Amino acid sequence: MSVLDRSALEESPLADLHAIASELSVDGYRRLRRADLINSIVAHQLGEEAPKPTEPSSRAEPSSRAEPSSAAEDKEDKEDKEDKEEQPPARRRRGRRGGRGRAESHDDADGGAQDGDPEQTPVAAESEQTEDEPAPAEATIAEGVVVLLPNGSGFLRVHPPDPSDDDVYISAAQVKRCELLSGDTISGPPRAPRRSERFPSLVRVDTINGRPAGEVAEGSRFDDLPAAFPDERIRLGSEDPTVKAIEWLTPFGKGSRITIVGPTRAGKTEALRRLANSLAEHSELQLSVVLAGVRPEELADWQEGPLQPVAAVSFALSPDVQAHVIEPVVDTARRLAARGGDVVLLIDTLAGLPPLAARKTLAAARNIVGGGSLTVIATATEPVGGETTVIALDAALAGMGRFPAIDLVTSGTIRPERLVGEAAAEAIARARIEAAEQD
């Protein structure tokens, strides 16, 4: 949450003021009058001591000027309570009769911590004598990667990708207000955990992906951002023959729209999986895999690789369902790219989607001028339209076990010279001509 000035606070409804005060740990904020509540929020944001509240008037205010009704206040109380209860409670020692308590071992909790499961994230055990108030917040800034949970809240991983006791809890209200996404790098001051909490909590979000949070929230729409043909090549650096052939004969870069096409049994899924294995070595790329309309056996194959699918459905489901599975993943990738990230989305496959949905998915890829990029690599039976790179596979070569099984005549990259230079682009053109003459 960025710092809010007094004028913005005065224009905010009481429910929002209560939510902000809760995140800033303002003591007794629900008992404060509106003016005193704003004064306390301003003081907490600046790290100053909150002024003493003014004495309430002995005369009741007219009902026309009253704050929200009791029903609305009850709803606010319920929402605030739910937001506080999102953070997993701290584990306590269990004392034995006639002896001191023994701290729990949290080594057994490591197994589920990677998935962000609050109940399985390792925490330090509390002592038997807990203080009523949390320890003073450290004069420091926490920085790390956002990992969202299904309930809308999340954690700031200080040492990504592994969880640790230093991770900072992010409330659902902050996630929604700042439109945070898994994979965002954020920073902000934390406060110490309260008696019933396991983790420090984020007081506010100062920066998102290296930019002030306010600027990111007011950023341009993805579709309005200017795009250019890819000019930064993604080097794969693999010794796999198929991957090497793709890298040198059908190069692609950040922001490319790529389809791997061919008939059944041409090896499209296998080629995509080998590309995924190579791309997983690039820490600067944010990778996501979506499986829509694949064979059940292929679901298991992907689970064994370095990239776990974020969504997966088999070909048994309807084309509309497959499109709905892909759509939210594409939307998240677009928002990450708009914030300056370099995102690569791998999709297997577009073949079962309605034509309009397939084109819309592929069209999301772009190289944003002066910003991030979204690269889409998808399998399909034939080109969708609008690709910057087409990797065509030959089913006959694949069936005979001759790899790489790339059909150079129908494969190609638009404006390859922007990625590999004029000389290399001419070499690719000569290779295609020679392949056509052999046919």
Side-chain angles (χ1 to χ4, degrees), residues 222-371:
F222 181 82
D223 290 330
D224 295 336
L225 297 172
F229 279 99
D231 54 10
E232 184 178 351
R233 184 181 183 183
I234 298 178
R235 296 186 178 274
L236 303 174
S238 173
E239 294 302 318
D240 180 278
T242 298
V243 177
K244 288 181 66 175
I246 290 174
E247 180 175 13
W248 295 107
L249 298 174
T250 56
F252 58 85
K254 294 179 179 179
S256 292
R257 287 182 292 276
I258 308 141
T259 52
I260 304 174
V261 302
T264 304
R265 295 193 301 242
K268 299 185 294 294
T269 296
E270 182 61 26
L272 184 67
R273 190 157 50 238
R274 294 185 184 189
L275 284 175
N277 293 339
S278 298
L279 292 169
E281 303 296 326
H282 292 257
S283 59
E284 78 279 7
L285 301 177
Q286 301 180 53
L287 305 178
S288 296
V289 176
V290 182
L291 307 181
V294 299
R295 302 178 183 91
E297 296 81 7
E298 292 169 343
L299 297 177
D301 288 342
W302 277 100
Q303 293 289 346
E304 297 174 358
L307 295 177
Q308 301 299 308
V310 295
V313 293
S314 76
F315 68 91
L317 299 182
S318 69
D320 288 338
V321 171
Q322 296 177 32
H324 290 160
V325 168
I326 294 176
E327 185 175 355
V329 184
V330 173
D331 182 61
T332 298
R334 284 160 52 99
R335 291 163 64 187
L336 286 172
R339 293 182 177 184
D342 290 315
V343 187
V344 177
L345 180 58
L346 300 102
I347 304 173
D348 191 18
T349 174
L350 299 179
L353 270 62
L356 179 59
R359 289 196 299 272
K360 182 179 178 181
T361 298
L362 194 62
R366 64 196 60 191
N367 175 31
I368 300 172
V369 176

Side-chain angles (χ1 to χ4, degrees), residues 32 36 39-40 49-55:
L32 298 177
D36 296 329
N39 291 336
S40 296
E49 183 177 355
K52 293 183 178 180
T54 57
E55 293 294 331

